[in-house]
């Protein structure tokens, strides 16, 4: 119970009772003389704020009047302050669900006003910081320390930006209480000390509470010497700034220090002073707490009669206040007292009452937790929506700001941009024409090279047919011509296209090799294979391999005495189409020597044309397209020639 009272007291302890009555009278006069609704609503909020130290119900009454009037005249700042006062009144009354709803409404309202009303920026920021602080207190009271710390830090950040040291000190104090409640004593001390330094500088009347909190931390750590020093410091400030409720708590804590130090007489002396102090302001809650401290001490000293007397007094006050936790503790103390006296019947009676109160308290706690969980869920849901709205609003404001700044800039540059745009369009049109012409030129050059290739191929084939007629007779010549005509049809089809499917190229090579087999009386065998990785619509320039196959036959396998073989492979390697033509003939160097020794009837154009074709492919595709010729060497002997073509992967479509 003491943790809750401490937090609550810190929240409401900013005024003094004596000065409050004078201010209340003054504000009441101002309210009666108010000539307009703006003055009236501000006075209503001020009166509500004054009541927070004495009468939360009156605070609630005046705050609700302020809320109605502020909504009527659409005075947003006053509306936010009214929500704050309603929320704070409900915190004091323990209605945390209603308190959170109103504090959240205040925060939402002030957040939306932050950028909308620059004339009242400081007042709006203060209202927002207060709303965050109130939400921190609510979550702290519910033991939701993560959320409490989140809102306290948001609150203190605003106060720091406003250089409001007094408010910063109050929030630092509350942050210290959050850490203390989580048993993070060193972190709690850090914030209590920060609050203490500011309050000492400002001569803040609530400094006694902060120093008492520091003393409590050292007491918990059983550092009795330091705790004693800080309790004495706190007492000096209580003497300087009278505060009966805070002083009563101080006597209770100072009594606990003496109890821990095994100085029972001093503990009893301070607790009796606490009772006198609480009685001066009719604080029954504080008196009941003190009776329980005394009762437990008397029980520990085996003075059961006195312990029972204290427990009964505490129970009576707790029953009047309807505080279940104090009633339960009182019943537990009575149970322990009667047990020690071996009074089984009374011990059992009070134990049953204790269990009943305990169950009621558990049920109440469960109900409260359920309500709080539901409340927190709704709150987090609304907060997420609100956060998204704020982000959208902030984004919209930024965009509007950018738009207004850029309008002038764009209007000045409009003429220049218009001219530049026209110039760019003109250049793009010219560039497009140039690129189209370059592409068409490349295609025409490709086709021209292809057409050069066809006569060369036909010339070689007719030479082969002539030799075949001379050597093999008319019947075989007719068979040869049939195959040649089929090959020519394919070649004519190829001449129309810059690319053909690889299967078509294989079909043409198949016909050509069969013709050459007939011509040379099966002097060689051949094989053509294609990798499964090659797709059906993958393409190749027509008749690209034919010159290499022809060289493999004429200059490779035919000059050798034994039967020869030719192998053609198509496969994919590193995103390129690779074509190889292998023969087991006399080798490239030997065939070059043979050419030099023979009379050259015509200059072979095939390889030069093929080189130019590959250069055109490279220029149009921007990918590698080349070939290499290497001799096959096995056991230091030349076993043939291998031609390797690397081509870019192209498709019919």
């Amino acid at each position: 119970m003491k943790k809750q009272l401490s937090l609550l007291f810190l929240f409401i302890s900013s005024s003094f009772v004596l000065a409050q009555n004078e201010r209340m009278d003054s504000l009441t006069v101002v309210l009666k003389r108010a000539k307009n609704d703006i003055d009236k609503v501000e006075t209503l909020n001020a009166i509500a704020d004054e009541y927070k130290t004495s009468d939360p119900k009156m605070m609630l009454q005046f705050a609700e009047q302020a809320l109605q009037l502020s909504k009527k005249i659409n005075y947003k700042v006053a509306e936010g302050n009214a929500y704050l006062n309603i929320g704070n009144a409900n915190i004091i009354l323990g209605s945390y669900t209603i308190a959170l709803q109103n504090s959240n409404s205040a925060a939402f309202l002030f957040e939306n006003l932050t950028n909308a009303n620059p004339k009242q920026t400081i007042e709006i920021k203060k209202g927002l910081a207060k709303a965050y602080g109130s939400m921190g207190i609510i979550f702290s009271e519910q033991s939701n320390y993560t959320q409490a710390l989140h809102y306290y830090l948001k609150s203190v950040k605003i106060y720091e930006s406003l250089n409001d040291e007094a408010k910063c000190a109050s929030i630092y104090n509350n942050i210290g209480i959050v850490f203390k409640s989580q048993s993070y004593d060193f972190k709690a001390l850090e914030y209590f000390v920060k609050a203490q330094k500011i309050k000492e500088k400002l001569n803040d009347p609530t400094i006694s509470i902060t120093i008492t909190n520091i003393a409590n931390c050292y007491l918990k750590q059983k550092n009795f010497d330091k705790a004693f020093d800080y309790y004495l410091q706190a007492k000096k400030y209580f003497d300087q700034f009278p505060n009966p409720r805070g002083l009563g708590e101080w006597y209770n804590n100072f009594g606990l220090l003496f109890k821990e130090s095994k100085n029972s007489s001093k503990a009893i002396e301070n607790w009796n002073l606490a009772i006198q102090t609480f009685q001066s302001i009719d604080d029954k809650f504080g008196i009941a707490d003190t009776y329980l401290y005394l009762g437990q001490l008397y029980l520990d000293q085996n003075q059961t009669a006195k312990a029972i007397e204290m427990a009964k007094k505490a129970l009576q006050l707790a029953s009047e206040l309807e505080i279940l936790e104090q009633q339960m503790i009182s019943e537990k103390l009575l149970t322990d007292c009667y047990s020690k006296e071996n009074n089984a019947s009374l011990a059992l009676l009070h134990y049953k009452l204790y269990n009943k109160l305990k169950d009621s308290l558990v049920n109440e706690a469960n109900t409260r937790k359920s309500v709080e969980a539901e409340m927190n869920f709704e709150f987090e849901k609304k907060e997420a929506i609100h956060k998204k709205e704020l982000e959208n609003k902030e984004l919209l404001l930024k965009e509007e700001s950018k738009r207004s700044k850029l309008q002038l800039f764009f209007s000045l540059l409009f003429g220049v941009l218009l001219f530049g745009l026209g110039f760019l369009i003109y250049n793009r049109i010219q560039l497009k024409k140039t690129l189209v012409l370059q592409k068409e030129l490349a295609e025409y050059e490709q086709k021209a090279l292809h057409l050069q290739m066809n006569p060369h191929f036909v010339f070689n084939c007719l030479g082969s047919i002539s030799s075949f007629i001379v050597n093999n007779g008319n019947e075989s010549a007719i068979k040869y011509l049939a195959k040649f005509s089929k090959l020519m049809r394919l070649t004519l089809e190829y001449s129309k296209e810059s690319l053909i499917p690889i299967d078509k190229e294989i079909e043409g090579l198949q016909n050509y090799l069969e013709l050459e087999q007939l011509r040379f009386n099966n002097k060689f065998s051949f094989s053509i294979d294609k990798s499964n990785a090659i797709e059906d619509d993958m393409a190749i320039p027509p008749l690209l391999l034919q010159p290499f196959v022809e060289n493999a036959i004429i200059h490779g396998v035919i000059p050798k005495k034994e039967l020869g073989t030719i192998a053609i492979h198509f496969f994919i390697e590193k995103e390129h189409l690779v074509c190889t033509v292998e023969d087991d003939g006399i080798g490239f160097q030997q065939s070059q020597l043979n050419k030099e020794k023979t009379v050259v009837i015509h200059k072979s154009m095939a390889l030069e044309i093929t080189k130019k074709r590959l250069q055109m492919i490279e220029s149009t595709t921007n990918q590698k397209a080349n070939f290499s010729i290497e001799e096959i060497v096995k056991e230091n002997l030349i076993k043939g020639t291998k031609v390797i073509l690397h081509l870019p992967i192209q498709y019919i479509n």
Side-chain angles (χ1 to χ4, degrees):
M1 294 301 293
K2 196 173 75 171
K3 178 204 74 168
Q4 183 180 14
L5 184 64
S6 178
L7 271 172
L8 215 57
F9 177 76
L10 285 168
F11 178 71
I12 67 176
S13 63
S14 60
S15 302
F16 296 101
V17 176
L18 293 175
Q20 181 197 35
N21 293 331
E22 295 177 6
R23 284 196 297 269
M24 194 72 71
D25 293 339
S26 176
L27 288 168
T28 304
V29 172
V30 172
L31 181 62
K32 289 177 181 178
R33 293 178 181 177
K35 295 180 180 180
N36 58 66
D37 288 338
I38 292 177
D39 291 340
K40 188 175 180 180
V41 74
E42 287 179 347
T43 307
L44 285 168
N45 271 324
I47 293 172
D49 189 61
E50 287 298 325
Y51 271 118
K52 71 183 178 185
T53 58
S54 58
D55 193 338
K57 291 182 180 178
M58 289 298 292
M59 180 185 186
L60 190 59
Q61 181 181 326
F62 279 96
E64 286 173 346
Q65 290 179 40
L67 181 62
Q68 291 175 8
L69 184 55
S70 60
K71 285 184 175 180
K72 180 182 175 182
I73 62 175
N74 196 30
Y75 187 5
K76 293 296 182 184
V77 174
E79 184 182 342
N81 287 326
Y83 278 127
L84 270 177
N85 285 327
I86 293 171
N88 292 341
N90 279 287
I91 291 175
I92 299 167
L93 293 168
S95 301
Y96 298 123
T97 303
I98 300 171
L100 185 59
Q101 289 170 353
N102 283 276
S103 298
N104 190 37
S105 295
F108 180 80
L109 193 147
F110 286 125
E111 283 169 349
N112 282 284
L113 287 175
T114 303
N115 296 318
N117 197 343
K119 293 180 181 179
Q120 296 176 302
T121 300
I122 294 176
E123 189 176 353
I124 290 165
K125 285 185 176 180
K126 283 183 177 179
L128 184 58
K130 286 178 184 177
Y132 289 150
S134 296
M135 291 159 76
I137 289 172
I138 293 165
F139 284 117
S140 185
E141 286 294 286
Q142 296 173 347
S143 301
N144 189 343
Y145 298 119
T146 302
Q147 285 281 46
L149 193 59
H150 170 71
Y151 283 103
Y152 280 145
L153 292 174
K154 287 181 76 171
S155 177
V156 83
K157 186 178 179 181
I158 297 172
Y159 284 131
E160 286 171 347
S161 70
L162 296 171
N163 294 319
D164 192 334
E165 291 185 315
K167 295 293 185 183
C168 285
S170 295
I171 300 297
Y172 289 148
N173 198 94
N174 282 3
I175 291 172
I177 290 172
V178 168
F179 282 122
K180 188 173 183 296
S181 299
Q182 295 177 288
S183 296
Y184 298 144
D185 295 330
F186 291 104
K187 201 70 178 173
L189 273 171
E190 177 187 337
Y191 278 93
F192 286 142
V193 170
K194 285 175 74 173
Q196 178 197 3
K197 289 178 180 177
I198 295 171
K199 289 184 177 186
E200 283 176 345
K201 175 184 172 183
L202 301 176
N203 202 26
D204 190 302
T206 63
I207 187 173
S208 52
I209 301 300
T210 299
I211 296 176
T212 301
N213 283 330
I214 295 172
N216 291 340
C217 286
Y218 284 120
L219 176 59
K220 187 178 178 183
Q221 295 172 11
K222 297 191 181 300
N223 189 338
F224 300 135
D225 291 337
K226 276 201 170 185
F228 185 81
D229 290 341
Y230 276 99
Y231 279 130
L232 291 183
Q233 286 184 49
K235 183 60 167 61
K236 289 179 183 178
Y237 284 108
F238 277 122
D239 293 340
Q240 184 179 349
F241 303 108
N243 187 329
R245 182 176 286 109
L247 183 59
E249 281 293 309
W250 180 88
Y251 279 126
N252 273 340
N253 288 310
F254 204 42
L256 287 172
L257 171 65
F258 285 115
K259 181 188 175 185
E260 291 291 327
S261 305
K262 310 300 181 184
N263 191 338
S264 301
S265 60
K266 275 287 187 181
I268 293 168
E269 178 185 332
N270 278 279
W271 286 333
N272 285 328
L273 289 170
I275 291 170
Q276 292 174 24
T277 307
F278 285 131
Q279 283 175 342
S280 69
I281 56 171
D282 195 27
D283 185 349
K284 294 179 181 178
F285 180 92
I287 296 169
D289 252 0
T290 311
Y291 282 144
L292 289 171
Y293 290 140
L294 283 165
Q296 188 61 53
L297 179 61
Y298 287 136
L299 178 62
D300 294 341
Q301 294 176 340
N302 293 319
Q303 298 183 52
T304 53
K306 286 186 177 182
I308 291 169
E309 180 187 352
M310 295 298 108
K312 286 182 176 180
K313 286 182 177 181
L315 180 59
Q316 182 181 351
L317 291 172
S319 300
E320 290 175 15
L321 296 171
E322 296 182 350
I323 298 173
L324 292 179
E325 186 175 352
Q326 280 187 335
Q327 292 178 53
M328 181 189 73
I329 296 170
S330 300
E331 292 290 355
K332 180 66 169 63
L333 183 56
L334 286 168
T335 302
D336 294 340
C337 289
Y338 287 121
S339 294
K340 187 162 274 192
E341 288 185 342
N342 295 318
N343 191 334
S345 59
L346 285 176
L348 180 60
L349 173 64
H350 287 286
Y351 182 72
K352 287 179 179 179
L353 291 171
Y354 160 73
N355 273 331
K356 185 178 179 182
L357 287 165
K358 185 180 178 182
D359 292 340
S360 298
L361 200 62
V362 169
N363 292 335
E364 185 183 87
N366 290 337
T367 303
R368 188 181 72 252
K369 284 181 181 178
S370 177
V371 171
E372 287 171 358
E374 185 177 350
M375 177 192 71
N376 289 340
F377 174 77
E378 289 298 324
F379 171 76
E380 288 170 5
K381 182 179 176 183
K382 287 179 182 177
E383 189 184 44
I385 295 169
H386 174 48
K387 186 178 179 182
K388 189 67 178 176
E389 287 175 354
L390 283 177
E391 288 174 356
N392 291 339
K393 185 177 179 181
E394 188 177 351
L395 185 62
L396 183 62
L397 288 170
K398 285 181 180 178
E399 289 299 321
E400 287 177 355
S401 177
K402 284 182 183 178
R403 197 180 299 116
S404 62
K405 289 178 182 178
L406 291 174
Q407 276 177 349
L408 179 62
F409 176 76
F410 281 125
S411 61
L412 292 173
L413 291 178
F414 181 73
V416 178
L417 289 175
L418 189 63
F419 173 78
L421 184 63
F423 183 74
L424 180 64
I425 292 171
Y426 174 78
N427 271 355
R428 285 181 65 84
I429 291 170
Q430 295 303 314
L431 180 62
K432 188 175 180 181
K433 287 181 179 179
T434 304
L435 290 173
V436 169
L437 288 173
Q438 287 177 349
K439 185 179 179 183
E440 289 178 350
L441 179 63
E443 289 178 354
Y444 289 140
E445 287 180 352
Q446 181 80 0
K447 287 181 179 180
L449 289 171
H450 186 187
L451 290 173
Q452 276 186 295
M453 192 73 203
N454 287 340
H456 172 76
F457 173 69
V458 172
F459 175 80
N460 286 341
C461 283
L462 289 174
S464 297
I465 291 169
S466 175
S467 299
F468 195 80
I469 291 171
V470 171
N471 297 325
N472 295 284
N474 294 336
E475 186 176 344
S476 296
I478 292 169
K479 185 177 179 182
Y480 191 97
L481 281 169
K483 285 188 174 290
F484 177 69
S485 66
K486 181 180 178 182
L487 184 60
M488 287 306 298
R489 279 198 302 275
L490 291 172
T491 305
L492 286 172
E493 288 179 16
Y494 298 165
S495 65
K496 297 175 186 177
E497 306 293 340
S498 59
L499 291 171
I500 62 170
I502 291 175
D503 288 342
K504 287 287 186 182
E505 177 73 1
I506 291 172
E507 184 181 357
L509 290 173
Q510 181 85 19
N511 272 276
Y512 173 72
L513 285 163
E514 287 175 356
L515 279 171
E516 294 293 65
Q517 272 186 329
L518 286 170
R519 174 185 170 193
F520 292 110
N521 294 317
N522 294 317
K523 183 73 184 295
F524 66 89
S525 61
F526 69 88
S527 64
I528 304 173
D529 68 78
K530 180 185 76 170
S531 168
N532 291 331
I534 295 175
E535 301 171 38
D536 292 340
D537 59 346
M538 206 170 282
I540 190 172
L543 297 173
L544 192 64
L545 268 69
Q546 189 273 337
F548 298 110
V549 174
E550 181 180 353
N551 283 339
I553 296 169
I554 303 301
H555 304 297
V557 296
I558 297 304
K560 70 180 287 188
K561 296 178 181 179
E562 300 86 1
L563 293 176
T565 58
I566 295 172
I568 303 169
H569 304 283
F570 295 87
F571 57 92
I572 303 295
E573 184 181 87
K574 295 181 180 178
E575 299 183 356
H576 278 82
L577 174 64
V578 181
C579 311
T580 62
V581 179
E582 297 183 46
D583 66 70
D584 60 352
I586 61 175
F588 181 70
Q589 290 183 357
Q590 185 61 46
S591 67
Q592 292 293 103
L593 290 173
N594 291 348
K595 284 182 184 180
E596 291 173 2
K597 292 176 183 179
T598 58
V599 178
V600 179
I601 298 174
H602 70 281
K603 184 180 179 181
S604 176
M605 298 170 61
L607 289 181
E608 286 302 315
I609 291 173
T610 301
K611 286 179 182 179
K612 288 183 179 180
R613 292 181 75 185
L614 292 173
Q615 288 172 4
M616 293 304 302
I617 292 169
E618 279 190 341
S619 66
T620 54
T621 62
N622 292 319
Q623 296 186 59
K624 184 174 73 172
N626 54 35
F627 74 90
S628 61
I629 301 173
E630 57 187 44
E631 290 190 326
I632 301 170
V633 179
K634 295 179 181 178
E635 298 176 357
N636 295 323
L637 295 175
I638 295 171
K639 298 294 184 177
T641 305
K642 183 177 182 179
V643 179
I644 306 168
L645 280 89
H646 287 90
L647 303 172
I649 294 176
Q650 300 181 83
Y651 296 89
I652 293 298
N653 295 327

